[in-house]
Amino acid sequence: MKQLRNNVIRAGLGALYFSGAHHLLRPLLSGVGAIFMLHHVRPASEAAFQPNRHLEVTPEFLRATLCHLRSRDIDIVTMDELHERLVQGRFDRRFAAFTFDDGYRDNLDHGLPVLREFNAPLTVYVASDFAEGTGRLWWEALEAVIAKAEQIDVKIGHSALRLDATTPAAKQAAYDRLHDWLRALPGEHDLKREIEALCTAYGVDMAALCRSLCLSWTELKTFAADPLVTIGAHSVSHCNLAKQAEDIAAQELATSRARIEEALERPVLHLAYPYGDREAAGTREFGLAATAGFKTAVTTRPGMLFAENAGQMTALPRVSLNGNYQDARILPVLTSGAATAMWNGFRRIAAA
């Protein structure tokens, strides 16, 4: 199903490009700017099984994106400046911001050097447990479990299942089944219990995985000292905030901000909601972010920025630079706003 969806999206992007429709739609749909969403930046892998490839782009694709924006005379700005331009209604020039979720080491190793070539600022949203080296990157752990196994034995509800994992296609099917099950579990403690059981059964050290992928506090302090870098918050544990009691969700935001400010000795004014879709961030979470004192908070809901977003500063949409669609030809489509407008049913604001 996910592969079918990816194929449909790819076909839609191609149709917009080859038809030239994005050129006609740009004046109506491109808005005043965009916030680009990324996770990993690293060289391409040749591995046949890469279920999380959508979360990574290559340095070359990031460079192509920056070249495209410069060619269109689009300003690349910090989240502070983006906030200022929206509040003040300064729309004489279009603008874009680059944001990176989770706090991966490859943002420093592979992302920052490319951004430096263009003097382009970036915001990195850090989950404080990840910086501590104790976080649960459960989607990465699930990939590691399936990558090393030929079959996965798991109990889902009252049913004991044995999932084939002998081929890349079978591994992908097993990953999709287990990912959707884990994401749909009712509470964070349920997710923790089940992923830890899988890791124990198949010999995956989740803490070691976190330390290998994520920047430590020491590394983040060096990273944050770069004038191009802003560090934002991404909660404490990367939990689904919408599934938490209100006091717990509020604590996740406030504690994450306090930990980062203490460790890096600088204010933290920008937030990215973990997962960030409609099932993880809604009206309550938007209010909690404002109460916690964040100037901006970004979702994963697709969309360009319009003047009206000035009234929704803790519900900002983003444009995903997705590893499944690393084709420089689609960049004019993405920046035209045509693709996100079609996704949103041509609504300019989709924050409710």
Side-chain angles (χ1 to χ4, degrees):
M1 183 60 69
K2 288 183 179 179
Q3 186 58 48
L4 174 61
R5 183 186 65 183
N6 290 337
N7 290 339
V8 169
I9 293 172
R10 189 177 293 109
L13 291 169
L16 286 169
Y17 172 77
F18 287 111
S19 70
H22 61 289
H23 293 302
L24 299 174
L25 294 171
R26 182 182 298 277
L28 299 173
L29 304 177
S30 62
V32 299
I35 304 171
F36 289 102
M37 174 179 66
L38 302 95
H39 291 77
H40 292 283
V41 180
R42 56 193 180 192
S45 168
E46 297 300 321
F49 175 58
Q50 296 183 66
N52 290 304
R53 65 159 56 89
H54 63 290
L55 296 177
E56 63 182 75
V57 300
T58 64
E60 293 75 20
F61 185 68
L62 176 58
R63 185 177 291 109
T65 303
L66 288 156
C67 284
H68 170 70
L69 295 175
R70 290 296 195 214
S71 74
R72 299 203 64 87
D73 203 26
I74 295 172
D75 295 340
I76 302 172
V77 301
T78 65
M79 287 301 294
D80 279 332
E81 184 171 347
L82 181 144
H83 174 272
E84 184 178 294
R85 291 194 186 195
L86 282 174
V87 168
Q88 296 179 356
R90 291 169 44 207
F91 306 138
D92 52 313
R93 291 177 60 84
R94 297 191 65 236
F95 52 88
F98 281 79
T99 62
F100 296 75
D101 289 7
D102 299 336
Y104 294 113
R105 186 170 290 109
D106 54 55
N107 297 174
L108 170 62
D109 294 341
H110 299 291
L112 183 58
V114 176
L115 288 152
R116 276 178 177 157
E117 294 175 21
F118 297 83
N119 195 34
L122 65 153
T123 297
V124 177
Y125 299 109
V126 173
S128 55
D129 275 358
F130 294 175
E132 296 280 355
T134 60
R136 295 189 305 276
L137 287 84
W138 63 266
W139 55 96
E140 298 279 3
L142 181 61
E143 177 178 343
V145 164
I146 296 173
K148 65 189 301 184
E150 293 197 346
Q151 66 183 35
I152 305 295
D153 293 303
V154 63
K155 187 174 182 180
I156 298 180
H158 299 293
S159 301
L161 300 181
R162 174 164 289 174
L163 302 178
D164 179 28
T166 54
T167 67
K171 288 181 184 294
Q172 184 65 56
Y175 182 91
D176 290 343
R177 175 75 182 276
L178 295 177
H179 179 279
D180 291 348
W181 165 60
L182 290 167
R183 180 76 198 275
L185 288 170
E188 200 66 19
H189 61 285
D190 301 299
L191 173 56
K192 179 177 184 293
R193 180 188 67 244
E194 299 297 347
I195 193 62
E196 286 182 352
L198 281 167
C199 287
T200 297
Y202 293 93
V204 171
D205 186 334
M206 197 152 34
L209 184 65
C210 179
R211 292 192 297 272
S212 71
L213 291 173
C214 294
L215 291 158
S216 67
W217 287 125
T218 300
E219 292 169 313
L220 279 166
K221 195 161 189 176
T222 300
F223 196 20
D226 191 291
L228 291 176
V229 176
T230 297
I231 301 296
H234 200 36
S235 83
V236 172
S237 64
H238 199 282
C239 64
N240 183 325
L241 294 169
K243 289 185 177 182
Q244 311 306 310
E246 185 168 335
D247 60 330
I248 299 299
Q251 184 179 9
E252 279 275 340
L253 300 184
T255 302
S256 174
R257 181 181 180 187
R259 283 187 185 177
I260 299 168
E261 289 183 336
E262 180 181 6
L264 304 185
E265 300 176 319
R266 60 188 62 227
V268 174
L269 301 174
H270 305 283
L271 170 73
Y273 302 104
Y275 309 108
D277 55 20
R278 292 182 180 276
E279 287 71 43
T283 302
R284 188 194 72 169
E285 289 67 47
F286 303 155
L288 290 175
T291 300
F294 290 104
K295 289 170 62 175
T296 71
V298 295
T299 69
T300 61
R301 299 184 188 190
M304 308 298 284
L305 296 175
F306 296 89
E308 298 94 318
N309 285 111
Q312 301 280 353
M313 284 296 190
T314 58
L316 296 175
R318 290 190 283 180
V319 176
S320 174
L321 292 184
N322 190 302
N324 288 329
Y325 318 114
Q326 295 189 76
D327 183 342
R329 293 179 303 177
I330 72 168
L331 291 171
V333 176
L334 291 179
T335 57
S336 74
T340 54
M342 292 178 68
W343 182 276
N344 289 322
F346 293 91
R347 289 175 297 167
R348 288 158 70 94
I349 304 293

